[in-house]
Amino acid sequence: MDFGLVLQTDPPASEVVGLMRRAERNGFRYGWTFDSAVLWQEPFVVYSRILEHTERLIVGPMVTNPGTRTWEVTASTFATLNDMYGNRTVCGIGRGDSAMRVAGRKPNTLARLGEAIGVIRDLAEGREAEVDGQPLRLPWVRDGKLPVWMAAYGPRALALAGQKADGFILQLADPYLTEWMIKAVRTAASDAGRDPASVTICVAAPAYVGDDLAHARDQCRWFGGMVGNHVADLVSRYGEHSEMVPEALTAYIKERHGYDYSHHGRAGNPSTDFVPDEIVDRFCLLGPAEAHIEKLRHLKDLGVDQFAVYDMHDAKEATIDAYGAEIIPALTR
């Protein structure tokens, strides 16, 4: 199992770079960041510094979207970083939550997302693709490589990930839901004539190592609110009780009343008081190192290839170090 670290690009960027360097020293192979241009600093600028100051770390957004930047700009940015640092990027992509809504736009449609996946990958790898009816190619790209991993929850999005993406990003660590969603992605891949095993499975969730569960829950409760934004979209589309979406995912948002993006992804987010302890425990990894190892082994058995640690709480360095000292070795030896 691989491990990734997920951060927000809060200033100063030097702290983000420092945490990513610390992660690489502790055995993490991927460095991810949020991508929301209004809420945080521009991640691609920060990636350049991370890549310069690490040796092997693979970096990318968790996640970008097809609406914030034009597709040729996104592809060219990835391709430039790859040319400079040797194919060490990955494109996590989704419909767009905070990046689109904060700017007063709706998330992208799945049709637009599906088209963007192919175009961005083709352009970044030096192939011709059509953008807004115009054939384009980046003539300077040589030996480019850009895996595109798609974030998804709902049945249509899961099917799209299986049909088109190189990887699937699931932003929660509940074993039951993980198994259900991996099955949906792999079935879609098989139905599309692809090898289901070729789709990399990445589970991303907050992790907090320690014995004080009450404090850990409070530090990670924000995650239930973030996931709740996507769940609310699913409920509006499919209803509260639908065979298309597991109730284990949707039931907890009944008490949700709006969401304030100014606290998005942050401990103490007041918009997440509706999230019960049970959801925090299911969606996140909490407790002593042994509890993390046990849950990660279960996820690995379900087919998870990477666990990406959302490290937005009051123990960033301690979590990275605990994973490096005890948890990553237990899952990689």
Side-chain angles (χ1 to χ4, degrees):
M1 178 182 276
D2 283 334
F3 286 83
L5 183 73
V6 190
L7 299 173
Q8 294 165 336
T9 50
D10 286 314
S14 58
E15 291 189 4
V16 178
V17 175
L19 288 169
M20 291 297 186
R21 294 181 68 187
R22 190 184 197 113
E24 184 179 61
R25 292 195 301 269
N26 276 281
F28 288 79
R29 290 195 61 231
Y30 285 75
W32 303 92
T33 75
F34 282 41
D35 177 15
S36 191
V38 174
L39 296 178
W40 303 287
Q41 293 185 328
E42 171 56 39
F44 287 95
V45 178
V46 182
Y47 296 156
S48 189
R49 294 289 289 174
I50 294 170
L51 289 165
E52 182 181 2
H53 290 282
T54 57
E55 296 179 4
R56 299 169 302 280
L57 203 68
I58 298 166
V59 305
M62 188 176 283
V63 294
T64 193
N65 71 86
T68 302
R69 306 172 188 85
T70 60
W71 302 351
E72 72 274 15
V73 170
T74 298
S76 181
T77 305
F78 277 112
T80 300
L81 292 172
N82 283 337
D83 186 65
M84 292 171 68
Y85 299 105
N87 287 340
R88 289 169 55 200
T89 68
V90 57
C91 177
I93 195 168
R95 292 177 60 221
D97 177 32
S98 63
M100 297 298 288
R101 298 186 205 266
V102 168
R105 306 183 186 104
K106 293 182 179 180
N108 297 269
T109 65
L110 286 175
R112 180 173 170 83
L113 175 58
E115 185 182 358
I117 287 173
V119 169
I120 291 169
R121 180 171 50 213
D122 283 346
L123 290 175
E125 294 185 348
R127 295 183 294 276
E128 183 178 289
E130 192 172 287
V131 180
D132 296 329
Q134 177 71 31
L136 298 177
R137 187 176 70 85
L138 304 180
W140 47 268
V141 173
R142 298 288 183 272
D143 302 318
K145 185 66 177 175
L146 182 66
V148 181
W149 298 6
M150 179 182 156
Y153 292 108
R156 292 174 58 235
L158 293 168
L160 181 61
Q163 292 159 4
K164 295 198 171 186
D166 300 300
F168 162 50
I169 297 171
L170 173 58
Q171 291 162 312
L172 55 79
D174 174 74
Y176 170 78
L177 292 172
T178 298
E179 183 175 19
W180 188 89
M181 293 187 186
I182 289 175
K183 181 179 179 181
V185 169
R186 287 182 168 164
T187 297
S190 179
D191 290 346
R194 305 179 68 197
D195 177 3
S198 69
V199 182
T200 302
I201 307 296
C202 174
V203 160
Y208 199 106
V209 182
D211 295 322
D212 189 344
L213 280 177
H215 180 73
R217 286 172 180 141
D218 286 343
Q219 287 292 302
C220 298
R221 199 174 307 275
W222 62 265
F223 185 65
M226 187 183 84
V227 174
N229 295 330
H230 304 283
V231 175
D233 286 346
L234 295 178
V235 170
S236 67
R237 175 179 290 273
Y238 297 103
E240 291 187 15
H241 307 286
S242 169
E243 295 180 357
M244 301 290 287
V245 184
E247 194 166 350
L249 175 63
T250 60
Y252 83 98
I253 69 161
K254 290 179 181 178
E255 301 301 320
R256 178 183 182 273
H257 302 289
Y259 188 83
D260 181 356
Y261 279 92
S262 66
H263 305 283
H264 189 56
R266 300 187 186 279
N269 185 338
S271 298
T272 61
D273 55 359
F274 70 93
V275 180
D277 288 351
E278 178 214 357
I279 288 294
V280 183
D281 292 348
R282 282 172 46 204
F283 285 10
C284 305
L285 275 79
L286 312 174
E290 293 78 10
H292 291 244
I293 292 168
E294 181 181 3
K295 190 168 186 177
L296 287 167
R297 283 177 173 159
H298 189 180
L299 293 171
K300 184 178 180 181
D301 289 343
L302 294 176
V304 174
D305 300 298
Q306 180 184 151
F307 177 61
V309 176
Y310 277 105
D311 205 21
M312 279 75 77
H313 48 56
D314 64 1
K316 294 182 178 69
E317 294 87 352
T319 299
I320 294 169
D321 293 346
Y323 263 71
E326 300 181 71
I327 297 165
I328 292 176
L331 273 294
T332 54
R333 61 173 171 250

